[in-house]
Amino acid sequence: ERGAFPEGNNMSRFLISCGGTGGHLSPGISLAEGLAQRGHEAVLLVSQKKVDARLLEKYPQLRFERMPGTGFSLHPVKFLRCVGSQTRAFFFCLRLLRTLRPDGVVGFGGFTSAPVVVAARFAHVPVALHESNRVPGLAIRTLGRFARRVYLPAGIRLAGVRASATRHVGLPVRREMIRHSPPAARAAFGLDPGHRLLVVLGGSQGASALNDWVRSRLEFFAGEGIQVYCVTGLGKGREGAVELTTGSGAPIPAYFSAFCDRMGELLSAADLVVSRAGAGTLAELIRCETPAILVPYPQAADDHQRANAAFFERQGGGIAVEQTRLDRLHAEVLDVIFNDWLLRKFRGNLRRMDRTNALELMLRDLEEIVSPPGGLPPASQPAVA
């Protein structure tokens, strides 16, 4: 329900733009939960997409607003549609800012960020932007110069953004995204503890290429005694279990699910993951210490997934395989999933990669941004008549 935030001592108000993909929405949820724990208020600004509605069903305690808008495209018709929808979104955000009166706006990129950041500039509301990919997206590149703070991955700089406004911070993950006991995690999904588990992920939008690949290799994996759990993406194929036969003649199932809202448990259950290389997925793999073979989406904007995968591989969290080599991917899986020494090495590297608490760093910094020097947060200041 829309309305102004209640006043309270030392309480600040934030509008978090994070819709459109799971990679934007998940860190937005994490930030909103962290702010709430510290006594602040937040509203999540999301898109009209199904993935946003589906993920938010799990968080009834959070406030959110659905905004109009579509993504950028160079196709003439889609470009005109984008301009029109973004214009409507700008006026929507301007009205929302006047109603909610936030002390700060945080944008995680994508088409939901541009209208609210521009509207925040008109309304003189401080803006912070977060980019989790190794190649900053169009929204962050364009809007970064207008932000009070820009959070970037380690080692990444953005032209036009002052060094004093830049902070190197990872992607905040949701608080339930922790490593569980693998036996307990497998039991929660009804998986066999006696067989290796391969999990296949295509990101929040799904990946037809990976779905088709794993379906074509089900008999092969069953013959090797490997069980499969594939998250196909909404509207990306049949759901349910397929019963196959192992090399010894014993039955082994493969599971297909359109969506998973228990990703921490699923990643903890896995011996190995085959996945796209979105920054949100990589942050969750790191938090759950799950080794992965990454297949970057070749059509990703600015080829950012290839850069993400290359960094992940250099840090020792797994390996990267090009989509053009899917015919050899099953062999790569076999080389890794039964190599206990290599899996332990990958997990140790992933543990090292998760040493900094990105959420805590962001929370402290955001409180500093919205607090007047030497004073209380704006929400606690007396109103001017």
Side-chain angles (χ1 to χ4, degrees), residues 94-269:
L94 202 57
R95 291 193 297 271
L96 189 61
L97 287 169
R98 290 169 178 164
T99 301
L100 297 179
R101 294 178 286 119
D103 299 306
V105 167
V106 183
F108 282 92
F111 65 86
T112 60
S113 288
V116 70
V117 170
V118 176
R121 288 282 292 178
F122 273 84
H124 305 290
V125 178
V127 171
L129 296 174
H130 185 284
E131 174 59 70
S132 53
N133 292 299
R134 304 295 300 176
V135 179
L138 177 63
I140 304 296
R141 296 198 309 268
T142 304
L143 302 170
R145 67 189 74 243
F146 303 123
R148 182 82 60 87
R149 184 77 76 239
V150 180
Y151 302 106
L152 296 171
I156 301 300
R157 298 285 180 184
L158 196 57
V161 176
R162 306 180 316 279
S164 61
T166 301
R167 297 289 184 274
H168 291 106
V169 174
L171 186 141
V173 297
R174 290 169 287 159
R175 61 187 177 191
E176 75 266 21
M177 193 61 61
I178 58 174
R179 180 164 177 80
H180 298 259
S181 159
R186 290 194 179 197
F189 282 90
L191 297 163
D192 189 338
H195 293 289
R196 298 289 166 123
L197 173 63
L198 174 69
V199 170
V200 180
L201 306 173
S204 62
Q205 310 296 314
S208 296
L210 296 186
N211 294 342
D212 294 343
W213 168 78
V214 73
R215 288 186 187 278
S216 71
R217 296 293 192 276
L218 288 180
E219 295 287 351
F220 171 82
F221 288 129
E224 296 291 340
I226 300 171
Q227 56 189 327
V228 172
Y229 195 106
C230 178
V231 181
T232 63
L234 296 172
K236 290 290 181 75
R238 302 185 306 276
E239 295 186 72
V242 178
E243 191 166 283
L244 303 150
T245 304
T246 66
S248 62
I252 185 168
Y255 298 92
F256 292 85
S257 175
F259 186 84
C260 179
D261 60 2
R262 295 184 292 157
M263 195 58 71
E265 286 180 288
L266 183 60
L267 295 182
S268 299

Side-chain angles (χ1 to χ4, degrees), residues 39 41 63 73 98 126 305 336:
E41 294 274 356
R63 297 177 62 184
S73 174
R98 290 169 178 164
Q305 287 204 10
V336 177

Side-chain angles (χ1 to χ4, degrees), residues 320-375:
V321 173
E322 293 295 327
Q323 186 163 300
T324 53
R325 293 186 57 211
L326 284 182
D327 60 326
R328 294 289 304 158
L329 182 55
H330 65 284
E332 299 278 7
V333 169
L334 284 190
D335 287 344
V336 177
I337 201 167
F338 290 113
N339 190 331
D340 291 330
W341 175 87
L342 184 58
L343 290 173
R344 285 195 299 271
K345 183 176 178 62
F346 284 154
R347 290 193 189 101
N349 292 334
L350 290 162
R351 196 175 304 119
R352 172 183 52 79
M353 293 164 68
D354 195 35
R355 284 178 179 168
T356 59
N357 189 328
L359 177 59
E360 187 66 24
L361 292 172
M362 283 188 68
L363 290 170
R364 289 202 303 263
D365 194 54
L366 288 171
E367 287 175 334
E368 182 179 324
I369 289 171
V370 301
S371 297

Side-chain angles (χ1 to χ4, degrees), residues 6-82:
E7 298 291 343
N9 291 331
N10 300 319
M11 183 269 288
S12 295
R13 310 151 178 163
F14 293 89
L15 182 61
I16 303 171
S17 169
C18 59
T21 70
H24 292 147
L25 186 54
S26 291
I29 291 170
S30 172
L31 182 61
E33 289 180 326
L35 288 167
Q37 284 186 321
R38 295 168 79 100
H40 304 299
E41 294 274 356
V43 163
L44 298 168
L45 190 58
V46 302
S47 76
Q48 306 280 348
K49 285 187 174 184
K50 290 181 180 178
V51 64
D52 290 11
R54 180 67 183 267
L55 189 54
L56 283 170
E57 286 176 0
K58 189 178 177 182
Y59 302 93
Q61 75 278 15
L62 298 180
R63 297 177 62 184
F64 65 92
E65 289 278 347
R66 288 193 174 90
M67 63 176 283
T70 57
F72 177 78
S73 174
L74 290 174
H75 186 280
V77 175
K78 292 181 179 179
F79 175 76
L80 291 175
R81 187 179 302 148
C82 171

